Amino acid sequence: MIRILVLAVTALVVKSEEEVMRNLTTVTWAHAVNNKTYLDAALASDICMLEADIVLGTIIGKEGPPIPVMAHPPATSSDLSLADFLSTVAKYNNVNSKQKGVKLDFKSIEAYEKSQELIAQYSKPQITFPLWLNADILPGPVDSTTKPVDPVKFLELGAKHPRAVLSVGWTTNYGGSITEGEYSGEQIGTMLRMINEHRINQTVTFPVRAGLAANSQPVILDLLRETSSLNCSMTVWSSEGDHVEVNRLRALILTVGLERTYLDVPQDLAAKLHLPPPDAKKN
Ligand SMILES: *[C@@H]1O[C@H](CO)[C@@H](O)[C@H](O)[C@H]1NC(C)=O
Ligand SMILES: *[C@@H]1O[C@H](CO)[C@@H](O)[C@H](O)[C@H]1NC(C)=O
Ligand SMILES: *[C@@H]1O[C@H](CO)[C@@H](O)[C@H](O)[C@H]1NC(C)=O
Ligand SMILES: *[C@@H]1O[C@H](CO)[C@@H](O)[C@H](O)[C@H]1NC(C)=O
């Protein structure tokens, strides 16, 4: 009896993984998993991907040279180091059939450089949980003045971890009173040139901000077409309260395809998209 039940559950998990590949919008996200309490809660939940931020800083109450710790600027200290974050996730994944993935959002090139040995340890072929390396490497809309993470160093070092998914995007200046904008052909073209010049040959995803992406369908389609040999995808994200033309975003997602779109947006926006169910035809 118990055996039958276990088999049935296993079959369900395998099937759902196949389904996930066909519909990446089913992947769920936890954000800013930057402390021990929240990491434990996220591991205990159904969430698929743990997004977390890395800065160079210190562990609260400890002294010493700066190390990669889980924190979002302007914070520079945490109760969780990157080393402990990764080992905790790996330990969880060793004993659970449904693995949690991680999206490591590097806030500076220095934090990324100092994390290389750790990343290498978890990008070995025998480790199988999803490992994403993310950074905003280029200046983006609307005239964003946030300093991007050095694109050349980020890509050169990223290529040394072929198992890792490179998640590379643009800084953005959107939301609040800024409700209009788009990714320009030049911004998209610079990304393409970077990917080509560095002979990137591993899975890539491009994080794009929903409100801006909705207005940028032609250039985003160009980007994904030109990088299709890299098993590329887009990751649509949004901040709470961003203005988004929902119908245009829906059109973009359905044109790109659910099999090439990760969706990391607030619940209410996701609900408004009314994505078609599995048995429905497109649109
Ligand atoms: C831990 O992280 C979560 C998610 O970022 C946050 O809501 C919470 O306030 C943090 N707790 C502490 C003690 O920093
Ligand atoms: C890209 O990587 C794959 C497998 O890792 C390899 O077969 C292929 O030759 C590589 N292509 C280039 C252009 O390096
Ligand atoms: C394509 O990329 C996804 C992650 O975006 C990964 O899970 C999948 O295994 C990749 N497939 C191939 C054939 O590389
Ligand atoms: C894809 O996933 C979304 C979110 O889970 C769901 O609403 C939608 O019905 C799914 N569509 C298909 C075609 O699988």
Side-chain angles (χ1 to χ4, degrees):
M1 188 61 183
I2 286 174
R3 205 145 155 208
I4 292 168
L5 199 71
V6 168
L7 282 178
V9 169
T10 312
L12 200 77
V13 169
V14 172
K15 183 162 169 260
S16 77
E17 262 168 30
E18 246 172 58
E19 264 163 29
V20 168
M21 293 309 291
R22 263 184 276 135
N23 183 357
L24 301 180
T25 73
T26 57
V27 171
T28 49
W29 300 86
H31 297 113
V33 185
N34 296 340
N35 58 56
K36 283 183 175 168
T37 313
Y38 199 56
L39 175 57
D40 288 344
L43 288 175
S45 76
D46 294 336
I47 300 281
C48 311
M49 287 289 290
L50 314 184
E51 186 266 350
D53 307 295
I54 296 105
V55 300
L56 272 189
T58 52
I59 295 299
I60 294 164
K62 278 194 192 169
E63 290 183 22
I67 57 165
V69 299
M70 312 313 288
H72 193 287
T76 56
S77 66
S78 174
D79 68 355
L80 187 58
S81 65
L82 176 61
D84 286 346
F85 175 90
L86 285 169
S87 70
T88 305
V89 173
K91 222 176 275 169
Y92 172 94
N93 284 333
N94 278 340
V95 295
N96 285 275
S97 60
K98 195 138 198 231
Q99 302 209 315
K100 307 276 190 208
V102 299
K103 174 173 172 177
L104 305 176
D105 188 357
F106 292 93
K107 296 303 188 186
S108 72
I109 198 66
E110 293 77 17
Y112 183 61
E113 286 172 327
K114 283 256 161 53
S115 302
Q116 289 302 306
E117 263 175 50
L118 273 172
I119 297 169
Q121 215 174 307
Y122 294 95
S123 54
K124 291 185 285 204
Q126 60 268 36
I127 293 176
T128 55
F129 65 84
L131 173 67
W132 291 24
L133 306 176
N134 177 84
D136 296 339
I137 61 169
L138 295 173
V142 178
D143 300 327
S144 176
T145 52
T146 309
K147 185 171 166 252
V149 169
D150 186 309
V152 171
K153 285 183 184 164
F154 192 84
L155 291 172
E156 276 175 3
L157 292 173
K160 295 191 196 299
H161 312 290
R163 186 183 88 75
V165 174
L166 295 183
S167 171
V168 283
W170 300 257
T171 60
T172 53
N173 176 31
Y174 193 69
S177 61
I178 305 176
T179 57
E180 277 174 49
E182 62 193 311
Y183 291 92
S184 70
E186 194 186 335
Q187 286 158 353
I188 297 285
T190 307
M191 182 65 82
L192 266 176
R193 194 159 44 76
M194 285 286 164
I195 299 275
N196 289 333
E197 277 176 3
H198 292 91
R199 305 190 188 289
I200 295 304
N201 183 22
Q202 70 204 80
T203 301
V204 171
T205 189
F206 300 105
V208 289
R209 194 163 180 167
L212 297 161
N215 301 333
S216 315
Q217 181 170 140
V219 289
I220 290 177
L221 293 180
D222 284 348
L223 176 69
L224 295 175
R225 193 186 52 246
E226 296 289 325
T227 53
S228 57
S229 66
L230 303 178
N231 179 26
C232 64
S233 61
M234 64 173 181
T235 302
V236 175
W237 65 276
S238 182
S239 288
E240 204 75 55
D242 275 11
H243 175 76
V244 179
E245 292 289 337
V246 174
N247 286 332
R248 280 195 221 163
L249 182 63
R250 183 174 195 274
L252 171 69
I253 291 172
L254 295 184
T255 307
V256 167
L258 297 178
E259 75 286 0
R260 292 176 79 190
T261 304
Y262 291 94
L263 188 65
D264 180 11
V265 301
Q267 284 277 318
D268 57 333
L269 176 55
K272 276 191 227 158
L273 286 168
H274 296 295
L275 294 176
D279 47 0
K281 296 231 158 64
K282 260 195 176 183
N283 299 306

